[in-house]
Amino acid sequence: MCQFNCKKHFKYYFILLLLLTNCVLLEAQDTIKTITPEDYGKWERLSRPIISNDGKWLTYGIVTNEKDKTTFLYNISQKKQRQFNNSSNAEFSENNNWFYYTHVPPGKELKKKKKNKEENKTPNKATLINLLTKDSILLEDYESFKFSSSGNYLAVKRVKDKIHTLILKDIISKKNITLGNVKEFSWHPEKDLLALNIETVDKKGNSLQLFNTINNTLQVLDQNEVDYSNLKWFEENNSLLVLRKAENEDYEDHTIDFLIWNNLDQKNTRFHIFNQNNFSNFPSDARILEQNIQLTDNGNKLYFEIFNRNKKITQEKLKESDSTVIDTSNYEAPALEIWNSKDVVIIPAQKKSKMKDIEIPKKAVWHIDENTFIQLNDSILESINIQENNKIILGLDDTPYDFDAMFGRPSHDVYIVNTDNGNKTKVLENISKTWDVSPNNQFFVYLNEDQLHLFDIKPKTSKNLTHNINANFIDFNDDHPLPQKNAFGFAGWSKDSKSFFIYSEFDVWQFFVNDLEARKLTDGNSKNIIYRIQSLERDEDYINTKEPLYYSLFGKDSKQTGYASGYIGKPVNTLILEDASISRLSRAKNEDKLIFVKQSFEQSPNLFLAGKQLNNPLQISNTNKFQKDYAWGKAELISFKNALGHEAQGILYYPANYVKGKKYPMITYIYEKLSRGLHRYSMPSKTDYYNTTIWTQNGYFVLHPDIDFITGQPGTSSTTTLENAVQSVINLGYVDSNKVGLIGHSWGGYQAGFVPTQTNIFAASVAGAGLTNLISMNLAITPAFGGRPENDHFEVGQERMGTPPHISPNNYIENSSVMQIDKLETPILFEVGDNDENVNWAQGIEYYNAARRANREFILLVYANEGHGLREDKNATDYQQRILQWFGHFLKGDKAEDWIIESIPYTEQQRRLKNNKL
């Protein structure tokens, strides 16, 4: 009996064990592995997708987090792909015959070189592949190289022991010509002509030369014991422009001469030279700058900038000019700056400016054929908008509105400037925004009093364009307290100047300079889709009304993206519109083949190829194909009411391996408007410390809410919005209301530091590089903003305070973390870099001292020699891990690291950091 029962019981136990085993196996199959820090390094990023001009080839790169770089070459007709490891910066030659890339070290080697500060000591190496013959050329130890327009010649520049050598390779004959002392070279855009800047050590051989590949001859174009630079060909007018350095012993700063040759490939070559000493109306104490030089398409006008030139001052010259000057040889000047409250540009900003001056460069034009010089702006016109191919351009005078402009409310008087004679005529006053003059020099559009207007230059009359149209052309929903809200945008002029294109909130409109009624080209308003013109033409200044226009699409609420196309006046066809981020649309120069990149939170960015209708796109790349082996979260939109009572959106990211019915902790990441990033892929990385994917992989929901701010109450309005946003998620039943964290950086760091003083909905907060005292920060000077004061930024910029502290002190106090410290009950981790030039790290110190005095739970992380963001990998990685430890303890109940709960002496901190034990 016993024997029988034992066998029977054993049978039941065996069946039960089998069932339990199957359950465990099924659960294991349902739980896919999550990503660990050891996996981060292999994650890939798509880079530099390019289609050849003839539409026959594609190239793109893939870069891993470990900095391993791979280049891919795709044959479109054969649908075959080649892979080149440890390579980067791929390009096609202009004639499509050549493909080339540079060699780079493997990621680990590059990291080692960077650590030893040797990353720039590796000799350059490149491979060039002939796409027709499959032949290849290996270049080593070069400085630069460039094919001629025909692709028959290759110029390779080398520098060794400060000796500059150019090797000119004849691709067909395979013969080489070596040229010495070549400092710079430039190929003609259409001919196999090579301009050469020759520079010798003693300068006696300095010259500008032209090498003709047809007969292998060198022609000296100019020779002087001076420096030449900036060799530039202009295809539109077959001209070569060169800058020649000109010095004067009476001045500290050098100036330049312009040298221009027309038709160097023809017998009717013409040479022009601009030397400022030859023009009586050129300001005596001015010099020509080497930047922002523009030549008109017809080659008859050269625009450039001039600036003050400082004379050399010696004691002898002072005595000669002024007999009362005393001997200062024993005088030591005080280290002094005098700051005056009347300064329009404060002294630190003047010191930070490139010119070290309150003055700005003046625009000028050289009429080449007439050989005349005209200075276009003066002490009245602060700025000139150069349109190099226009006779009439606009100048702006800000002076009457200087005081308001100092605090973020600029305005201008508008002048018409004739570039033929320099005449200036004021036509409008107190205008906030203007756009380009039409190609025929007759019209321009401007913004004033919430309306867009067309100004007719000849009769000097204006026409209100938008007052009778049922559409929003001004962004009234912008929460910045500006006296004039921004227009949605001016897209451009048609080439014939008969029409121009303006954006409303959702649509593209064509307006006409005559009395024709404006035409809405798209139907975005009814679909809640934003249409914008997508230019596919390289270097196109105007909108081509004869060809179909391409439009980018963005669903205001759905966040769908895509593209559409259509001829003007005919229906617009949606080509592609998906629940994804579709961007970077590009077309082959000479063929109707297009490429674009598509991604989503769940789909890694990849390159696609399609025809002009974008139908049946072919996926070319396959980044992060190993992602299928890991659990992944998902992203969806949520809705809630913001502080203004308006409907707002946010992104809710689900944790990897989400189990329905289970309650999770949640991290709330904040800045301003974030919902546009719904379809943005988040690649895990050890150095990306605010990484959504890493948080979801660690079992958190993540919320990215959109935040609008109330003027004068940025912190309190953010609090109300966050309370509503978080509650809307809690109501879904996914998140434990006692395990919600808050995190943000910079302006988000301000909110992450302030909001916990107003509400206890967050169990812990992390604030990076945030503002904490709005009064002291408002009165600060910010190096990152060019040494300017923070006033304008505070009143009408990101802080949206509307008024200064002396007018609304209570608003500043009520919205400053340090002034609300007595209400803080949430543990805060606050990060700063001690070299932050955006938000002075003293803001973090103030909060630390306030929290310490009020006996509040507060940790300050100070990263040495770091700025507004952490650039050193070791610091970024450390901060990422401390964020996870912080939230792990307060949101998950993990055991607290001792740095969270204990005061650790400095020497002990440093000892443990060196041993990786803190």
Side-chain angles (χ1 to χ4, degrees), residues 196-208:
L196 303 169
N197 174 7
I198 307 299
E199 185 174 295
T200 59
V201 176
D202 59 3
K203 295 190 177 184
K204 295 187 180 299
N206 285 14
S207 63
L208 184 72

Side-chain angles (χ1 to χ4, degrees), residues 652-682:
L652 183 63
Y653 299 92
Y654 283 64
N657 280 325
Y658 166 71
V659 177
K660 189 175 182 180
K662 179 181 176 182
K663 294 225 174 183
Y664 290 83
M666 182 173 77
I667 295 173
T668 305
Y669 177 80
I670 52 171
Y671 192 69
E672 293 192 13
K673 298 288 183 67
L674 298 173
S675 65
R676 288 184 69 100
L678 173 67
H679 300 302
R680 185 177 300 124
Y681 186 77
S682 176

